[in-house]
Amino acid sequence: QVQMVESGGGSVQAGGSLRLSCTASGLTFTFDRYNMAWFRQAPGKEREGVSCITADSRTYYSDSMKGRFTISRDNAKNTLYLQMVSLKPEDTAMYYCATGLRCTATGLPRSANYWGQGTQVTVSS
């Protein structure tokens, strides 16, 4: 079955950086054929799309993360990344990677077929 395993979360002070990773396995097709995305959910808030990357590496971001977050992929390693800099307390959330989704210029995906278990990011002021 499909498995998505995130890592790299942790606790940092405001202004700090983190790089999240997500390794996928069990996909029906090769990793490079899948759109991938990062979502996050803060306590008491709805899940929101953070960024997505298409199979041909076009990238899209939520306006509030644009310029601070960078999504990338290493197809040889079946791994998705999210580099986060200039972190703010409001970035505190559980971050999830996902695949089996649409990723287009019209907007970030709202749902996905496959999800990881999440990795916690906590930013203190």
Side-chain angles (χ1 to χ4, degrees), residues 43-114:
K45 295 189 176 181
E46 291 188 356
R47 183 181 64 206
E48 64 175 336
V50 172
S51 179
C52 67
I53 184 168
T54 65
D56 60 353
S57 295
R58 284 172 287 136
T59 59
Y60 303 99
Y61 298 89
S62 171
D63 286 344
S64 63
M65 294 89 171
K66 204 173 293 184
R68 298 189 300 121
F69 291 7
T70 303
I71 192 170
S72 62
R73 63 192 300 159
D74 184 336
N75 292 331
K77 296 182 179 179
N78 283 14
T79 300
L80 175 73
Y81 300 101
L82 185 70
Q83 178 69 51
M84 306 184 293
V85 301
S86 302
L87 283 162
K88 306 175 182 179
E90 51 264 44
D91 294 318
T92 295
M94 186 72 79
Y95 285 71
Y96 300 90
C97 68
T99 192
L101 49 87
R102 293 173 58 85
C103 178
T104 70
T106 59
L108 293 177
R110 295 179 177 271
S111 63
N113 290 332
Y114 304 107

Side-chain angles (χ1 to χ4, degrees), residues 35-49:
N35 298 329
M36 306 291 297
W38 289 98
F39 293 79
R40 71 184 187 184
Q41 186 166 21
K45 295 189 176 181
E46 291 188 356
R47 183 181 64 206
E48 64 175 336

Side-chain angles (χ1 to χ4, degrees), residues 107-123:
L108 293 177
R110 295 179 177 271
S111 63
N113 290 332
Y114 304 107
W115 297 86
Q117 83 288 349
T119 187
Q120 178 68 38
V121 171
T122 302
V123 184

